[in-house]
Amino acid sequence: MSKLSKYSPLLDGQSIESKRQEIQEYFHNTYELYERVFEVLKDDDVFYKKSEITRHPMIFYFGHTATFFINKLINMKIINERINPNFESIFAVGVDEMSWDDMDNARYNWPKVKDVREYRTKVKLLVDKLIMTLPLSLPINENSPMWIILMGIEHERIHIETSLVLHRQMPIELIKDSVHFNLCSKSSVAPKNEMLEINSAEIKLGVDKNHKLYGWDNEYGVYEERVSVFKASKYLVSNGEFMEFVTSDGYKNEEYWDEEGRNFLKISKAEYPTFWILKDGVYKYRSLSSEMDMPLDWPVDVNALEAEAFCRYKSLQDGVTYQLPSEAEYRAIYDEVKIEDIPSFHESSANLNFYHYGSSSPVNEFSFITQNGKAIYDVVGNVWQWSRTPIRAFEGFEVHEAYDDFSVPTFDEKHALILGSSWASSGNLITKYSRYAFRKHFYQNAGFRYVITEQKEENLSDIYESDELVSQYCEFQYGDTHFGVENFAVSTARVASSFVKNKDKALDLGCATGRATYELAREFEEVEGIDFSVRFVQVGAKLKDDGYVAFSVKEEGEISQNKKITIDELGYESLKSKVSFWQGDACNLKPNFKGYDLIMATNLIDRLYNPRLFLDTIDERLNEDGVLVITSPYTWQESSTNKEFWLGGYEDEKGESVKTIDSLIEVLADKFELIHTQDLDFVIQETARKFQHTISEVSVWKKR
Amino acid sequence: MSKLSKYSPLLDGQSIESKRQEIQEYFHNTYELYERVFEVLKDDDVFYKKSEITRHPMIFYFGHTATFFINKLINMKIINERINPNFESIFAVGVDEMSWDDMDNARYNWPKVKDVREYRTKVKLLVDKLIMTLPLSLPINENSPMWIILMGIEHERIHIETSLVLHRQMPIELIKDSVHFNLCSKSSVAPKNEMLEINSAEIKLGVDKNHKLYGWDNEYGVYEERVSVFKASKYLVSNGEFMEFVTSDGYKNEEYWDEEGRNFLKISKAEYPTFWILKDGVYKYRSLSSEMDMPLDWPVDVNALEAEAFCRYKSLQDGVTYQLPSEAEYRAIYDEVKIEDIPSFHESSANLNFYHYGSSSPVNEFSFITQNGKAIYDVVGNVWQWSRTPIRAFEGFEVHEAYDDFSVPTFDEKHALILGSSWASSGNLITKYSRYAFRKHFYQNAGFRYVITEQKEENLSDIYESDELVSQYCEFQYGDTHFGVENFAVSTARVASSFVKNKDKALDLGCATGRATYELAREFEEVEGIDFSVRFVQVGAKLKDDGYVAFSVKEEGEISQNKKITIDELGYESLKSKVSFWQGDACNLKPNFKGYDLIMATNLIDRLYNPRLFLDTIDERLNEDGVLVITSPYTWQESSTNKEFWLGGYEDEKGESVKTIDSLIEVLADKFELIHTQDLDFVIQETARKFQHTISEVSVWKKR
């Protein structure tokens, strides 16, 4: 076993106590490894530098993985108390450059590295305690509280890999050598690539819920595809092989690039791979912590757009069509060479899990043998391999409620799968069934191999929302009305606006798919829509970015009807510049969300894990004369809110019924005057014949 | 371990394979023991005799436990095919004398014993196969498919005990001796009873869901009670002790009996305990298979009414109030003598699990030692001990969906708990947390001990429905209307009736809480209401028997409002003689349900496990010119109906949408003419502010 990195624990076992031990050891190993990754930053000042202009500084990532544990544990109601609400808000979101993540760093006062280190220690102690005390039966499954611990650990494993990429993108003078990530010392000329035949196969992707390793939600389900005989390159494309493309002006010739690729070229001004350095007419190579002579036989690190451009170039050269492999073709190679999954796989047989190197290695070092007895290299490990397949949900996909924005936002046909893992991969990343996908312009420790195949990936046009709950909300907010009840987003926005004098800035809190955010923009100069779930937020953002929302409405059983609503039909084209959408937790909002004339909290309070946290400080975010509008049917349920945090719907010690509206008056009385209440109906369609008809109470509170 | 009877298996363990083995051995042991119980019947003819006029003949019980496995497995969609639909319908219900069980034996052609034996063998082979192949992880919990197997086994364990009671009630000449159930040979004069002090204690009843033994749904939950110091009789009341009461004309003096007791005396004409025989002025004793001299030191077998009468008699004699113990007081005795639960409890220390005897035994044979070092006898075993506590749900009670009428119908304040188990008890019956309750006039292998206590059991008046779903339906059928939508039971009954010429007899299939059954009785001479769930059927039956239904309507969170609707308010007093309520499975209705002019299937077809089974033969139950009315919103869901059995709401092989109404036309076309369709709305209230608003389609089909 690698000294640096342990394998993920199995979910089953015979002894509860030894399973707790094993999980604790894995947790400690992960936590320590993560800290080693940050030891390569030369000093604490570097934590405040960004490796890419569009990303947060490194201090964000350093804090992020620890706050993740706490945010998920709170969210799943496994713990009730935060360790540091400020950290757990500012370090919560902004990992990738999604439109709903707030990346404006000017808004933040980043904390001291020392304080974040102390925070990490507190989280470690808490997680340690939970590992030893949480209810546990074997096998662990996705409903076990321990699953959330494993999720936190595997999440940190991902950031071990991605932080190493960010560090590699840092100016070299900010990075120091680490004994833990030792560079491969072998390098030579690039071997000449050749094509190997891979047998046809019936491929089954997707894993069963009873699988014995932790998995992210996108791994589960069923997908079958017949892969015909195809050819795959023997080696990953090496720096040497890629050099031809660069020196043949590959980055300048637009015919090798598709629209997205040309766009990337325009913005990035790239002329060669990002980890190459051109010095005095010679290409050097940037590893994690050094600039070195070009290792021609190591794999080239590129993004998907560069890999695709290379394939187009090579196709024109050879008169044969080269492509990136599909997800199923990659599995066919994997199966062909009979790789065994973790834990049977021995880590010495590939460049992964930090066993051999803290860098890439020659593309002809780690071989795997095909059915015909031919050697193919780096089927797993060394660098990830871009595929031509956009990540999609398998049949039977279910969102894991603890992390509902892990996968769903990537099911947009714009995130391509990367396959096979890299030298910096460990944990879930090196397992057979894991599935990671990135936007095509993103850098990872990723390169590619090419294939000659007859199968083409179909291109989908409009993306219809596959998420049933989100679709239901799309129909609720953008679809038909029923039983003569007005569209609720429209009516609440109108009612709420009517009580506000100054109409500069409004907050639509619990904005769901965003309709009321747009409606408020009819009256307000600026409207921010916030929802806890990215699954919902991205609908409003898509309407703004792509000009439409598309969803399917359930009619009877599994029959549903696709619907598409455009921004023109809605009349929002002129409003879209006023609205923005953000992910956020109403019980722990980031400090920068403030200065509102209206805060509208729609059907939100009875879904919060601790509604008092929201009510206690919401006045601070309102301007003078600001108005808070709360609408709710007060449908308290333990699945959303532990009973101790309900604002109403229970009996007090004297046995008297406590109603929510009375608690609201009590809690808000000091800071607000209740100026209006009314009922407002809404109807949510479940099928063509089944509806929820709810009577929400609107209460309007004027700041004192 | 007893040669006859094994202990119930633990739900946890280390090895799946050995757990399967263990369950199989337990299953075989139970199955075999059950057959031994029927070997005491002299010959096959006796299977067609009844031991009590109100009960089915023994052939029913012989078939019942095997069909239970199949009916539950079908119901839970673990298997799809029946072994013998006729057996699985006629042996399905009628265990107790509930008003909704059809006990009219003239209606049945009971099958041959040989055929039932063969049927049992087929069931055994199937269950064996399932035990070895069902998905299994440890610990087994109530959601595991294996739970249903354990349920079937424990259900048969109950019938082992109750069938032995029935056999003991058979004429002696119909029963033969069995080597397996050997009579205790000890008997002497009755020991003089005395009172022992039991310490005060904080009693916690109710067991956790993680408990390591199979439990029935009524065992789970939380109930706490402080029990003050009290006194309990050292011995169970013996035949000798009870003799005083009998010879003092206890059965003739009405002041010892409450109203229910006097009623029992009137109907039964009892003058002494049922297992006593008066011959030539001398009381003899009936054991399972013999009539013997009165064993004065054995416990008397009585029902609860007789036990209570004895207490009143003795109170008047001694000037002290004697009562039956409460459930909590019994547990205080149990805890006081530190009994360990199965499997730690050694069966040799009490008369249970068939270890010592096939009969009762002297009340001074099996001692348990109190904290003060005093001996108290038969805390468990020998005979059950009647309590004064009506069985109630503990806080947190949840119906187990596979057997939703196991407990709920007994939560009527009329079923008293029996405690401690008997010589004929095994399996779940001898575990610490099990809870069995019977109507007070019922006989079991049950006697009693008395206590002197200051605690009195409160008497509840109206029983408000504690079952949330049933309450919701009560409000739906008997409560307020909303959004201007007419009461659905009233509107469907009116619409359905309007298409029928001859109005002799109607069937309300899926009658739920029975409102439409009464409404149809405005037009029809006779109306039968059938529902799959006794939880629902008993509401309509209660309205008929007790003149009211009482339920609670959820308002906000846990706050709800009690409502009571009387038969007078509804104007049904004059109709009630026309209606009757039955439990039944629409997919496998008993043959006697036929001869209808109208069959109304309300919101039923999309909740059946196999709706075609219903549709294929329903015409046979209609008279000429009869009308079938189907109403449904076609809300197909896999939790009710496996997808392969959906009538619509899916795409066929050609990728075309199949709508339910089209399938209905196709399936029914040969036998029915579709004469009318219309939409009919209904609204179900969930809370004061939340409603389901559904549009049902009514289709009217005239028999060709």
Side-chain angles (χ1 to χ4, degrees):
Chain A
M1 183 66 70
S2 155
K3 270 179 236 144
L4 260 191
S5 175
K6 288 182 185 296
Y7 279 175
S8 304
L10 296 184
L11 300 174
D12 57 2
Q14 303 290 8
S15 153
I16 299 288
E17 285 321 304
S18 54
K19 188 57 62 182
R20 291 188 195 276
Q21 283 295 344
E22 191 187 345
I23 292 170
Q24 190 180 52
E25 282 162 24
Y26 184 60
F27 168 56
H28 288 180
N29 176 254
T30 308
Y31 224 64
E32 193 179 337
L33 186 52
Y34 197 58
E35 284 164 12
R36 296 252 148 99
V37 167
F38 283 81
E39 282 168 18
V40 306
L41 300 182
K42 198 150 233 160
D43 54 42
D44 282 2
D45 289 346
V46 182
F47 280 81
Y48 303 92
K49 308 273 190 218
K50 299 177 180 193
S51 63
E52 266 219 10
I53 189 73
T54 59
R55 311 287 285 265
H56 277 313
M58 293 316 300
I59 188 76
F60 169 84
Y61 296 94
F62 191 51
H64 173 66
T65 55
T67 61
F68 181 93
F69 280 100
I70 305 305
N71 283 325
K72 295 304 176 198
L73 289 165
I74 288 268
N75 180 11
M76 296 306 286
K77 298 189 282 306
I78 295 168
I79 60 172
N80 281 326
E81 286 195 25
R82 295 192 165 280
I83 292 179
N84 183 327
N86 180 43
F87 282 16
E88 286 144 19
S89 139
I90 62 173
F91 291 142
V93 288
V95 170
D96 296 340
E97 30 157 357
M98 296 299 215
S99 66
W100 46 81
D101 293 336
D102 176 22
M103 303 299 294
D104 183 355
N105 286 288
R107 302 209 206 186
Y108 299 108
N109 284 319
W110 293 113
K112 289 187 190 148
V113 176
K114 180 174 116 338
D115 294 342
V116 180
R117 281 192 216 284
E118 278 169 20
Y119 175 80
R120 277 185 62 85
T121 304
K122 284 185 196 156
V123 171
K124 186 180 178 189
L125 290 172
L126 175 66
V127 173
D128 267 349
K129 196 179 120 200
L130 291 173
I131 288 172
M132 287 304 153
T133 55
L134 283 178
L136 180 60
S137 67
L138 298 178
I140 300 166
N141 65 43
E142 57 177 0
N143 302 314
S144 314
M146 195 64 88
W147 190 266
I148 307 304
I149 302 292
L150 295 177
M151 178 179 278
I153 301 173
E154 294 297 346
H155 171 259
E156 194 162 52
R157 289 270 166 184
I158 295 174
H159 280 280
I160 288 169
E161 165 123 29
T162 56
S163 297
L164 283 168
V165 178
L166 293 175
H167 293 170
R168 193 176 169 200
Q169 289 178 294
M170 279 275 177
I172 187 74
E173 61 276 12
L174 303 181
I175 301 295
K176 60 184 182 203
D177 272 331
S178 158
V179 291
H180 303 298
F181 304 108
N182 67 310
L183 246 62
C184 174
S185 58
K186 300 172 198 163
S187 100
S188 176
V189 295
K192 190 171 158 42
N193 220 339
E194 57 184 282
M195 300 307 285
L196 299 177
E197 194 164 289
I198 306 295
N199 289 313
S200 64
E202 298 293 340
I203 298 299
K204 290 187 187 186
L205 303 174
V207 70
D208 189 87
K209 290 250 168 165
N210 295 322
H211 189 58
K212 60 181 196 274
L213 289 168
Y214 174 89
W216 297 102
D217 53 7
N218 62 31
E219 299 172 25
Y220 299 99
V222 178
Y223 176 84
E224 298 184 17
E225 184 180 323
R226 184 176 166 74
V227 170
S228 307
V229 179
F230 68 102
K231 290 180 178 166
S233 66
K234 179 172 181 172
Y235 307 113
L236 297 179
V237 174
S238 63
N239 288 308
E241 186 171 8
F242 200 81
M243 184 72 78
E244 281 178 46
F245 172 68
V246 174
T247 54
S248 310
D249 285 343
Y251 280 77
K252 288 172 189 147
N253 191 338
E254 287 211 343
E255 74 179 300
Y256 304 141
W257 302 78
D258 67 4
E259 194 186 336
E260 193 180 353
R262 291 193 292 272
N263 221 9
F264 155 73
L265 287 179
K266 208 185 297 170
I267 292 167
S268 70
K269 311 214 170 5
E271 298 189 338
Y272 46 84
T274 194
F275 294 114
W276 289 13
I277 303 146
L278 185 58
K279 268 195 179 158
D280 308 325
V282 176
Y283 290 109
K284 311 270 280 182
Y285 177 90
R286 166 65 190 264
S287 71
L288 175 61
S289 55
S290 76
E291 289 178 6
M292 55 192 274
D293 288 343
M294 180 59 66
L296 292 167
D297 57 349
W298 291 14
V300 68
D301 305 276
V302 289
N303 66 28
L305 301 167
E306 292 168 302
E308 287 171 352
F310 177 92
C311 289
R312 287 192 199 95
Y313 158 81
K314 188 171 167 64
S315 301
L316 287 174
Q317 295 290 311
D318 297 2
V320 185
T321 302
Y322 297 96
Q323 294 185 74
L324 299 177
S326 70
E327 185 177 15
E329 284 163 356
Y330 173 76
R331 175 63 64 81
I333 303 173
Y334 189 100
D335 289 349
E336 167 105 18
V337 300
K338 296 195 187 300
I339 292 178
E340 284 195 280
D341 196 9
I342 307 299
S344 304
F345 182 83
H346 199 284
E347 56 191 338
S348 64
S349 48
N351 182 8
L352 45 69
N353 206 34
F354 305 101
Y355 184 85
H356 295 284
Y357 309 120
S359 73
S360 296
S361 54
V363 296
N364 54 3
E365 183 170 358
F366 297 100
S367 66
F368 298 82
I369 306 303
T370 69
Q371 302 288 80
N372 311 329
K374 301 255 169 84
I376 182 168
Y377 288 77
D378 295 326
V379 177
V380 296
N382 211 355
V383 293
W384 293 88
Q385 305 166 44
W386 285 102
S387 80
R388 68 175 188 274
T389 310
I391 189 170
R392 290 166 186 149
F394 291 138
E395 197 185 317
F397 168 76
E398 288 175 284
V399 166
H400 193 288
E401 63 166 324
Y403 198 173
D404 72 349
D405 55 338
F406 182 81
S407 302
V408 175
T410 69
F411 297 154
D412 62 355
E413 299 287 313
K414 294 175 181 164
H415 285 70
L417 283 155
I418 57 173
L419 308 164
S421 78
S422 83
W423 59 269
S425 305
S426 64
N428 171 271
L429 297 141
I430 57 171
T431 60
K432 176 171 180 180
Y433 297 101
S434 68
R435 302 175 84 211
Y436 294 90
F438 288 92
R439 290 295 300 271
K440 291 184 173 184
H441 62 275
F442 242 60
Y443 290 102
Q444 285 301 311
N445 299 308
F448 65 111
R449 81 166 73 241
Y450 42 81
V451 301
I452 300 171
T453 171
E454 308 207 325
Q455 265 157 317
K456 294 242 155 95
E457 216 61 22
E458 82 277 29
N459 256 325
L460 297 185
S461 46
D462 293 336
I463 317 303
Y464 287 89
E465 189 55 58
S466 58
D467 186 319
E468 198 172 306
L469 193 62
V470 174
S471 260
Q472 202 176 80
Y473 250 77
C474 285
E475 171 66 16
F476 172 40
Q477 293 206 312
Y478 297 98
D480 298 334
T481 58
H482 304 277
F483 308 126
V485 176
E486 187 186 3
N487 181 293
F488 188 65
V490 174
S491 61
T492 47
R494 189 186 58 242
V495 169
S497 298
S498 71
F499 291 94
V500 188
K501 243 193 304 188
N502 231 353
K503 292 182 181 167
D504 287 336
K505 194 171 153 198
L507 173 63
D508 181 11
L509 194 54
C511 68
T513 55
R515 176 81 192 261
T517 313
Y518 287 93
E519 283 294 317
L520 287 172
R522 294 187 190 275
E523 298 273 337
F524 288 79
E525 293 309 309
E526 185 187 355
V527 189
E528 294 177 317
I530 296 185
D531 202 274
F532 190 74
S533 169
V534 165
R535 292 154 65 198
F536 288 88
V537 165
Q538 63 180 355
V539 176
K542 185 184 173 68
L543 182 60
K544 179 176 170 167
D545 296 343
D546 299 348
Y548 73 96
V549 296
F551 51 96
S552 58
V553 184
K554 224 170 134 174
E555 296 200 327
E556 182 180 318
E558 289 184 332
I559 304 173
S560 53
Q561 195 198 337
N562 284 341
K563 277 198 184 180
K564 184 174 166 179
I565 310 281
T566 67
I567 195 162
D568 290 335
E569 288 170 62
L570 292 163
Y572 293 160
E573 183 60 36
S574 62
L575 303 175
K576 74 177 187 187
S577 61
K578 294 176 165 188
V579 303
S580 59
F581 292 94
W582 311 96
Q583 180 188 30
D585 174 356
C587 300
N588 196 26
L589 273 185
K590 288 194 197 178
N592 50 278
F593 291 113
K594 64 183 181 199
Y596 300 108
D597 301 302
L598 167 68
I599 296 178
M600 188 168 87
T602 316
N603 297 346
L604 175 80
I605 53 161
D606 54 359
R607 290 294 167 272
L608 298 178
Y609 56 82
N610 188 344
R612 262 173 212 270
L613 288 182
F614 161 67
L615 295 171
D616 282 347
T617 56
I618 195 66
D619 62 296
E620 298 164 13
R621 298 172 191 272
L622 277 171
N623 296 333
E624 222 164 297
D625 283 340
V627 169
L628 168 67
V629 174
I630 296 174
T631 82
S632 174
Y634 312 137
T635 320
W636 299 101
Q637 53 187 33
E638 288 209 273
S639 55
S640 307
T641 318
N642 279 345
K643 212 175 286 170
E644 57 185 303
F645 298 123
W646 290 10
L647 294 179
Y650 60 91
E651 291 188 350
D652 64 16
E653 317 80 54
K654 292 182 210 139
E656 288 183 21
S657 296
V658 178
K659 300 258 185 166
T660 309
I661 186 68
D662 297 325
S663 296
L664 286 175
I665 292 170
E666 198 191 307
V667 174
L668 295 174
D670 283 357
K671 295 160 178 170
F672 290 94
E673 182 192 350
L674 176 59
I675 58 173
H676 178 75
T677 61
Q678 73 173 85
D679 284 347
L680 214 48
D681 286 25
F682 63 86
V683 175
I684 297 180
Q685 180 173 4
E686 293 183 8
T687 72
R689 293 182 166 275
K690 193 160 185 291
F691 304 84
Q692 300 165 24
H693 189 157
T694 308
I695 305 168
S696 198
E697 178 161 61
V698 182
S699 56
V700 183
W701 309 79
K702 191 166 180 191
K703 188 173 172 180
R704 287 192 199 273
Chain B
M1 182 67 68
S2 154
K3 268 179 239 145
L4 259 191
S5 174
K6 288 182 184 297
Y7 279 175
S8 303
L10 296 183
L11 300 174
D12 57 3
Q14 303 290 7
S15 154
I16 300 288
E17 285 321 304
S18 55
K19 189 57 62 182
R20 291 189 196 275
Q21 283 294 344
E22 191 186 345
I23 292 169
Q24 190 181 52
E25 283 162 23
Y26 185 59
F27 168 56
H28 288 180
N29 176 253
T30 308
Y31 224 64
E32 193 178 339
L33 186 51
Y34 197 57
E35 283 164 13
R36 297 252 149 100
V37 166
F38 283 81
E39 283 169 18
V40 307
L41 301 182
K42 199 150 234 160
D43 55 41
D44 282 2
D45 290 346
V46 183
F47 280 81
Y48 302 92
K49 307 272 188 217
K50 300 177 178 193
S51 62
E52 266 218 8
I53 190 73
T54 59
R55 312 288 284 265
H56 276 315
M58 293 316 300
I59 188 75
F60 169 84
Y61 297 93
F62 190 53
H64 172 67
T65 55
T67 62
F68 182 94
F69 280 100
I70 305 306
N71 281 325
K72 294 305 176 196
L73 290 165
I74 288 269
N75 180 11
M76 296 306 286
K77 297 189 282 308
I78 296 168
I79 60 172
N80 281 328
E81 284 194 26
R82 296 192 165 281
I83 292 180
N84 182 329
N86 180 42
F87 282 15
E88 287 143 19
S89 139
I90 62 173
F91 291 142
V93 288
V95 171
D96 296 340
E97 32 157 353
M98 296 299 214
S99 66
W100 47 80
D101 293 336
D102 177 21
M103 302 299 294
D104 184 355
N105 285 290
R107 302 209 206 187
Y108 300 108
N109 285 319
W110 293 114
K112 288 187 190 146
V113 176
K114 181 173 119 331
D115 294 342
V116 179
R117 281 192 218 283
E118 277 169 20
Y119 176 80
R120 276 185 62 86
T121 303
K122 285 185 196 156
V123 171
K124 185 180 179 189
L125 290 173
L126 176 64
V127 172
D128 266 350
K129 196 178 122 200
L130 291 173
I131 289 173
M132 287 304 153
T133 54
L134 283 177
L136 179 60
S137 67
L138 299 178
I140 299 165
N141 65 43
E142 57 177 359
N143 302 315
S144 314
M146 195 64 88
W147 190 265
I148 307 304
I149 301 293
L150 295 176
M151 178 179 279
I153 301 174
E154 292 298 347
H155 171 259
E156 193 162 54
R157 288 270 166 185
I158 296 173
H159 280 281
I160 287 170
E161 165 123 28
T162 56
S163 296
L164 282 168
V165 178
L166 293 175
H167 292 172
R168 192 176 169 199
Q169 290 177 293
M170 279 276 178
I172 188 73
E173 62 275 13
L174 303 181
I175 301 295
K176 60 184 181 203
D177 271 332
S178 159
V179 290
H180 303 299
F181 305 108
N182 66 310
L183 246 63
C184 174
S185 56
K186 301 172 200 164
S187 100
S188 175
V189 294
K192 191 171 158 42
N193 220 339
E194 58 183 282
M195 301 307 285
L196 297 177
E197 194 163 289
I198 306 295
N199 289 314
S200 64
E202 299 293 339
I203 298 300
K204 289 187 187 183
L205 303 174
V207 71
D208 189 86
K209 290 249 168 166
N210 295 321
H211 189 57
K212 60 181 194 276
L213 289 169
Y214 174 90
W216 297 103
D217 53 8
N218 61 31
E219 300 174 24
Y220 298 99
V222 178
Y223 176 84
E224 297 184 16
E225 184 181 324
R226 184 176 166 74
V227 169
S228 307
V229 179
F230 68 103
K231 290 181 178 164
S233 66
K234 181 172 179 172
Y235 306 113
L236 297 180
V237 174
S238 62
N239 288 309
E241 187 172 6
F242 200 80
M243 185 72 80
E244 281 178 46
F245 173 68
V246 174
T247 54
S248 309
D249 284 343
Y251 279 77
K252 288 173 190 147
N253 191 337
E254 287 212 343
E255 75 180 297
Y256 304 141
W257 302 79
D258 66 3
E259 194 187 334
E260 194 179 351
R262 289 193 295 272
N263 221 8
F264 156 71
L265 287 180
K266 208 185 299 171
I267 293 168
S268 69
K269 309 212 171 8
E271 297 189 341
Y272 46 84
T274 193
F275 293 114
W276 288 14
I277 304 147
L278 186 58
K279 269 198 180 156
D280 307 325
V282 177
Y283 289 109
K284 310 272 281 181
Y285 178 90
R286 166 65 191 263
S287 71
L288 175 60
S289 55
S290 74
E291 290 178 5
M292 54 192 274
D293 289 342
M294 180 60 65
L296 291 168
D297 57 350
W298 291 15
V300 67
D301 304 277
V302 289
N303 66 26
L305 300 168
E306 292 167 301
E308 287 172 352
F310 177 91
C311 289
R312 288 192 198 93
Y313 158 81
K314 186 170 168 66
S315 300
L316 286 173
Q317 295 290 312
D318 296 2
V320 184
T321 302
Y322 296 97
Q323 295 185 73
L324 299 177
S326 71
E327 184 178 16
E329 284 163 354
Y330 173 77
R331 175 63 65 81
I333 302 173
Y334 189 101
D335 288 349
E336 167 106 19
V337 300
K338 296 194 187 303
I339 292 178
E340 283 195 282
D341 196 9
I342 307 298
S344 304
F345 181 83
H346 199 283
E347 56 190 338
S348 64
S349 47
N351 182 9
L352 45 68
N353 206 32
F354 305 101
Y355 184 84
H356 294 284
Y357 309 120
S359 73
S360 298
S361 55
V363 296
N364 53 3
E365 183 171 357
F366 297 100
S367 66
F368 297 82
I369 306 303
T370 69
Q371 301 289 80
N372 311 329
K374 302 256 169 82
I376 181 168
Y377 289 77
D378 295 326
V379 177
V380 295
N382 210 354
V383 292
W384 292 89
Q385 305 165 43
W386 284 102
S387 80
R388 68 176 188 274
T389 310
I391 189 169
R392 290 167 186 149
F394 292 137
E395 197 185 317
F397 168 76
E398 289 174 283
V399 166
H400 194 289
E401 64 166 324
Y403 198 173
D404 71 349
D405 55 338
F406 182 80
S407 302
V408 174
T410 69
F411 297 155
D412 62 355
E413 299 286 314
K414 294 176 182 164
H415 285 71
L417 283 155
I418 58 171
L419 308 165
S421 80
S422 83
W423 60 267
S425 305
S426 64
N428 172 271
L429 298 141
I430 58 170
T431 61
K432 176 172 180 179
Y433 296 101
S434 68
R435 302 175 83 212
Y436 293 89
F438 287 92
R439 289 296 301 272
K440 290 185 173 185
H441 63 273
F442 242 59
Y443 290 104
Q444 286 300 311
N445 299 308
F448 64 111
R449 81 167 73 241
Y450 41 80
V451 300
I452 301 172
T453 171
E454 307 206 326
Q455 266 158 316
K456 293 242 154 96
E457 216 61 22
E458 82 276 29
N459 255 326
L460 297 186
S461 46
D462 292 338
I463 316 304
Y464 287 90
E465 188 55 57
S466 59
D467 186 320
E468 199 173 302
L469 192 63
V470 174
S471 262
Q472 203 176 79
Y473 250 76
C474 285
E475 172 65 16
F476 172 39
Q477 293 205 313
Y478 297 97
D480 298 334
T481 58
H482 304 277
F483 309 125
V485 176
E486 186 187 3
N487 181 294
F488 188 64
V490 174
S491 62
T492 47
R494 189 187 58 243
V495 170
S497 298
S498 72
F499 292 93
V500 188
K501 243 195 300 187
N502 231 353
K503 294 184 180 167
D504 287 335
K505 194 168 153 200
L507 173 63
D508 180 12
L509 193 54
C511 67
T513 55
R515 178 80 191 263
T517 313
Y518 287 93
E519 283 294 317
L520 287 173
R522 293 186 190 277
E523 299 273 337
F524 287 80
E525 293 310 309
E526 185 187 354
V527 189
E528 293 177 317
I530 296 185
D531 203 274
F532 190 75
S533 170
V534 165
R535 291 154 66 199
F536 288 88
V537 165
Q538 63 181 354
V539 175
K542 185 185 173 68
L543 181 60
K544 179 175 170 168
D545 296 343
D546 300 348
Y548 73 95
V549 296
F551 52 96
S552 58
V553 184
K554 223 170 134 176
E555 296 201 325
E556 182 179 318
E558 288 185 332
I559 305 173
S560 54
Q561 197 199 338
N562 285 341
K563 278 199 184 179
K564 183 175 167 178
I565 310 281
T566 66
I567 195 162
D568 289 335
E569 287 170 62
L570 292 162
Y572 292 161
E573 182 62 36
S574 62
L575 304 176
K576 74 178 187 187
S577 61
K578 296 176 167 189
V579 303
S580 59
F581 293 94
W582 311 97
Q583 182 189 30
D585 174 356
C587 300
N588 196 25
L589 273 186
K590 290 194 196 177
N592 50 279
F593 291 114
K594 64 183 182 202
Y596 301 107
D597 301 301
L598 167 69
I599 295 178
M600 187 167 88
T602 316
N603 297 348
L604 175 80
I605 53 160
D606 54 359
R607 290 294 167 271
L608 298 178
Y609 56 81
N610 188 345
R612 262 172 212 270
L613 287 183
F614 160 67
L615 295 170
D616 281 349
T617 56
I618 195 66
D619 62 296
E620 298 164 11
R621 298 171 192 272
L622 278 170
N623 296 334
E624 221 162 298
D625 281 341
V627 170
L628 169 68
V629 174
I630 295 174
T631 83
S632 173
Y634 313 136
T635 320
W636 299 101
Q637 53 187 34
E638 288 209 271
S639 55
S640 306
T641 318
N642 280 345
K643 211 175 288 171
E644 58 186 303
F645 298 123
W646 290 9
L647 294 179
Y650 60 90
E651 292 186 350
D652 64 15
E653 316 80 53
K654 293 181 210 141
E656 288 183 21
S657 295
V658 179
K659 300 257 185 168
T660 308
I661 186 69
D662 296 326
S663 295
L664 285 175
I665 292 169
E666 198 191 307
V667 175
L668 294 175
D670 283 356
K671 295 159 178 171
F672 290 94
E673 181 192 352
L674 176 60
I675 57 173
H676 177 76
T677 62
Q678 73 173 84
D679 284 347
L680 214 48
D681 286 25
F682 63 88
V683 175
I684 296 181
Q685 180 172 6
E686 293 183 9
T687 73
R689 293 181 165 277
K690 194 159 185 293
F691 305 83
Q692 299 165 25
H693 190 155
T694 309
I695 305 168
S696 200
E697 178 163 62
V698 182
S699 56
V700 183
W701 309 80
K702 190 164 179 190
K703 189 172 172 181
R704 284 190 201 275

